[in-house]
């Protein structure tokens, strides 16, 4: 297990009711109703929140790597994240697919950027070796 050398930020959320409840951050910036996937509920679900968080974090990692390598990351970079929820032996698990679009970038340079970002992204590091993560350059 990798230990943090220095804490840069700590997020705090309070959740009640589980998948059919509510969640709110301590700073009030996020307050969501939750619904189980596939139900008629009007809230979001943890898999959607994970997809949004991972895709945003991955773009941040590409920008950080781009800055270090003096590579211009297109302003219209995008990541479409899919988070699958399914059965694993005796439990449930998730898998992730990230489809990365880097308009106007040379394909080889774009792939190098993606590969480097996958090494520094906190979500990639948290999931590495734990779940199936597939990253595709579109």
């Amino acid at each position: 297990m990798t230990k943090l050398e220095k804490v840069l930020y700590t997020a705090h959320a309070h959740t009640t009711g589980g998948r059919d409840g509510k969640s709110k951050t301590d700073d009030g910036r996020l307050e969501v109703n939750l619904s189980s996937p596939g139900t008629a509920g009007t809230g979001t679900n943890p898999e959607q929140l994970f997809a949004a968080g991972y895709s945003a974090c991955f773009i941040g990692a590409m920008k950080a790597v781009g800055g270090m390598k003096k590579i211009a990351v297109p302003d219209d970079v995008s990541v479409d994240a899919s988070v699958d929820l399914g059965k694993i032996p005796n439990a449930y698990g998730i898998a992730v697919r990230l489809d990365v679009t880097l308009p106007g970038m040379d394909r080889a340079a774009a792939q190098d950027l993606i590969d480097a970002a996958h090494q520094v992204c906190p979500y990639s590091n948290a999931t590495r070796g734990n779940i199936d993560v597939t990253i595709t350059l579109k």
Side-chain angles (χ1 to χ4, degrees):
M1 174 173 53
T2 303
K3 298 269 186 185
L4 295 177
E5 294 174 4
K6 179 181 179 184
V7 174
L8 302 175
Y9 172 76
T10 301
H12 300 278
H14 178 76
T15 303
T16 58
R19 285 186 172 271
D20 296 305
K22 295 179 182 287
S23 191
K24 180 179 180 179
T25 58
D26 64 336
D27 62 5
R29 291 183 177 195
L30 177 70
E31 186 171 349
V32 294
N33 292 322
L34 303 169
S35 298
S36 295
T39 66
T42 58
T44 189
N45 61 63
E47 291 72 28
Q48 290 170 322
L49 293 168
F50 192 81
Y54 199 158
S55 57
C57 189
F58 199 80
I59 290 172
M62 287 189 291
K63 289 180 177 181
V65 168
M68 288 186 285
K69 293 186 172 213
K70 308 285 191 250
I71 298 170
V73 177
D75 289 337
D76 53 352
V77 59
S78 66
V79 174
D80 292 308
S82 300
V83 175
D84 301 318
L85 171 67
K87 295 281 288 173
I88 59 174
N90 302 314
Y92 295 92
I94 60 172
V96 174
R97 293 182 311 281
L98 301 178
D99 293 331
V100 181
T101 304
L102 290 157
M105 277 193 78
D106 171 77
R107 244 184 123 67
Q111 189 61 58
D112 286 344
L113 179 66
I114 289 169
D115 293 343
H118 189 44
Q119 296 306 308
V120 301
C121 176
Y123 277 68
S124 293
N125 288 324
T127 59
R128 187 171 289 110
N130 298 314
I131 66 169
D132 184 27
V133 175
T134 304
I135 303 174
T136 305
L137 172 60
K138 292 292 178 177

